[in-house]
Amino acid sequence: MTSPAPRGAHFLFLLASSRRDGNAETLARHAAAALPGGTRQTWRRLDEHPLPPFADLRHASAEAWQPAIDGHARTLLEATLAATDLVFVAPVYWYSLPASAKLYLDHWTAWLRAPGWDFKARMAGKSLWAVTALSDSDLRYAAPLEGALKLTAAYLDMRWAGLLAGEGNRPGDVTRDTRALTAAKTFFRSADPGSRADG
Ligand SMILES: Cc1cc2nc3c(=O)[nH]c(=O)nc-3n(C[C@H](O)[C@H](O)[C@H](O)COP(=O)(O)O)c2cc1C
């Protein structure tokens, strides 16, 4: 018998691989399949929501710093704020995050200052998770990716909820990583119903 979904939980899966059906996505789908029935899930492929290059206008004039949040940025911002749980589904690229995930994070810097969105206060209390894949059998090479997201969570008073890592290079390889698949079954169990933020 599955336990009921935490009241109000809404998981946003941010797919950051530059290919479809890759190892990180496969592992994330395994983990999501074990979420309690009825848990709200939204899946967004960052490559399908291309963001403009980030321009650092923080110290420009007040007129220059009126970031228009429209198009894909607005879609991603609204999805981000609507979620209680953000899950980066991001393979290791050069020991770090893929560019699409990094660009999405850079845009948080604009969203933090965008009038009327109250981004910082509304991010506080959400949970941040990561599901990754890498070709190296030594999962410690995912440490920079994990560290960046962990520190990001702390900066925004979010809860760092954990990393699920699997080994694989070609799509499908991760299905042979039995340790990762076993870990996926319980990965989201530490979702904490007591610390839900309302979108
Ligand atoms: C641009 C790029 C950089 C990569 N850098 C690393 C790396 O630093 N360490 C590693 O172990 N694997 C690296 N890989 C391999 C991928 O992490 C691996 O193929 C992974 O399974 C891809 O995940 P996906 O199938 O979800 O796209 C890299 C792959 C690409 C395309």
Side-chain angles (χ1 to χ4, degrees):
M1 196 169 86
T2 53
S3 51
R7 197 172 60 82
H10 181 176
F11 280 70
L12 173 62
F13 293 86
L14 294 157
L15 299 167
S17 174
S18 56
R19 62 186 180 188
R20 287 175 164 265
D21 303 321
N23 292 307
E25 180 173 348
T26 297
L27 191 54
R29 294 202 183 272
H30 271 80
L35 275 167
T39 306
R40 202 164 158 209
Q41 297 177 29
T42 300
W43 293 72
R44 290 281 174 271
R45 215 172 278 285
L46 290 175
D47 281 356
E48 289 177 358
H49 297 281
L51 292 167
F54 174 70
D56 183 3
L57 299 172
R58 288 171 305 142
H59 306 117
S61 66
E63 293 77 47
W65 188 258
Q66 290 293 333
I69 300 173
D70 48 22
H72 293 303
R74 192 180 179 103
T75 302
L76 291 177
L77 172 56
E78 287 176 347
T80 300
L81 291 174
T84 56
D85 294 76
L86 302 185
V87 187
F88 280 80
V89 182
V92 171
Y93 277 10
W94 291 106
Y95 312 103
S96 185
L97 289 159
S100 62
K102 183 58 171 51
L103 182 60
Y104 163 75
L105 284 175
D106 287 354
H107 277 263
W108 285 18
T109 298
W111 299 350
L112 275 164
R113 291 161 178 82
W117 289 94
D118 213 7
F119 186 73
K120 188 160 185 17
R122 293 170 74 188
M123 291 300 280
K126 295 184 192 294
S127 294
L128 188 62
W129 310 77
V131 179
T132 195
L134 64 166
S135 54
D136 206 293
S137 58
D138 186 344
L139 300 183
R140 286 176 300 180
Y141 285 107
L145 178 151
E146 180 180 23
L149 293 175
K150 215 185 235 185
L151 291 169
T152 297
Y155 184 74
L156 284 173
D157 294 322
M158 302 172 75
R159 179 177 79 101
W160 170 247
L163 173 82
L164 173 64
E167 183 188 345
N169 194 21
R170 300 175 67 85
D173 281 354
V174 78
T175 58
R176 291 196 294 273
D177 185 344
T178 50
R179 182 211 54 81
L181 295 187
T182 302
K185 287 188 186 136
T186 55
F187 180 57
F188 287 127
R189 273 207 196 145
S190 63
D192 175 5
S195 66
R196 297 278 145 219
D198 294 320

